[in-house]
Structure formats: C-alpha cells, structure tokens
Amino acid sequence: YISMRKLKNEWTEGNKDKVKSAVLSTLKMSAVHQKILDEILEGSMLYKRKALFADALWAHKQEKYTLSVPLLFPIIEGTLVEKYGHLYKESKCDKCNREFRATASPVLQRIKKEFKSSQNSILIDRYLAQIDHLLDHFSLRRNPILHGFMVDYNSEELSAALILAASSLDFKDMLTG
C-alpha cells in the first residue's frame, strides 16, 4: 500500500512513471476491487450500476480493456446525468460531420463552473483536474469508441482512468458537505 501523500510527493518530484505503475498495479488487486464495490452503498449514485461496475472491474483485472472501457463510459455518463440532470449541447461529429447531442460534457462543464465559484479551495484543487480529465475522455474518446470508429482503445491506462473516475463521482456532494 502506498499512501496518497507519498504518491502526490512522487508526482510532484517528477516520478510520474512510478506513480502510474503503482496505480496500475493497485487497480489489478482483487482486494482493491472488493473495497471499491463495498463502498458502493445502497442508495448511492452507483448502486444501480454496481453489477455493471463489477463486470468492468473483472474485465480490467483480466486485461480485457476492450470490454472494460466501453462499459465504463455509460456507467459514468448515466451516473452523471442521473445525479446532476440532463444537459444537452448540440455538437458535430469530427468524422462524419453529423449533429448529435452530447450529455456528459455539458454536465461536467456545469459542475466545473460550480467548483470554480466555490469558496472551498481544497475541493477546487482536488477535483478540477479530475473534471478536466473526464472532459478530455468524453470529448476525445467516448463517441469514437462507443460508435465503433476508434478500435485501438485496448489500454490499461484508459481503463484505469475511467475506473478511478467512476469510483469518485461525488463532486457535488463535496461542494455541499
């Protein structure tokens, strides 16, 4: 077990590969998967999706990222939309130029705006980077992966990033206490 403080210090000192390796190896441990699942309590945001999340964790541990990644996007998106409401933003596909309605990105943008106006600087520092990271995944990867245009997403790093994001989708709860 490596403490978050030690990981942060390693990251700050430029040892990003060491931190990445520690996180990736930790996310392959059955005990860590069980802890993540145990923290999904009845009535919590992820509870309805707990079986799906368990399957995504299993696929990750089996190194079947082509299964975990496309399963994690709707878990995250559905949880965000259910928790924070449906916001639509008309967008155009980079590949075919067709219009579509984005849902997760506008919700994340709204949450980000709320954080920026928050007076709690600890929360701002802690979660803005995570929100930006999720925005990148949803704007750059979600549609191409889920619509079959991007087929080279067999990535432990992407799967791990989405697992971490899905297991900590309580931004607004952090703002309100």
Side-chain angles (χ1 to χ4, degrees), residues 114-126:
E114 288 177 15
F115 265 99
K116 284 185 174 181
S117 65
S118 170
Q119 300 302 309
N120 192 336
S121 62
I122 294 171
L123 292 177
I124 292 170
D125 292 343
R126 184 174 175 188

Side-chain angles (χ1 to χ4, degrees), residues 77 88-106 138-139 142-144 147:
E77 187 165 22
Y88 292 107
K89 175 184 172 192
E90 297 296 330
S91 299
K92 285 197 176 198
C93 176
D94 293 336
K95 299 275 186 201
C96 66
N97 208 30
R98 289 188 181 156
E99 289 188 9
F100 66 92
R101 289 182 158 183
T103 55
S105 293
F138 271 90
S139 63
R142 184 242 186 242
N143 281 356
H147 294 277

Side-chain angles (χ1 to χ4, degrees), residues 65-88:
Y65 310 120
T66 56
L67 298 176
S68 62
V69 169
L71 183 54
L72 287 159
F73 276 114
I75 290 169
I76 293 168
E77 187 165 22
T79 302
L80 284 171
V81 169
E82 186 174 313
K83 176 106 175 137
Y84 303 109
H86 234 316
L87 291 179
Y88 292 107

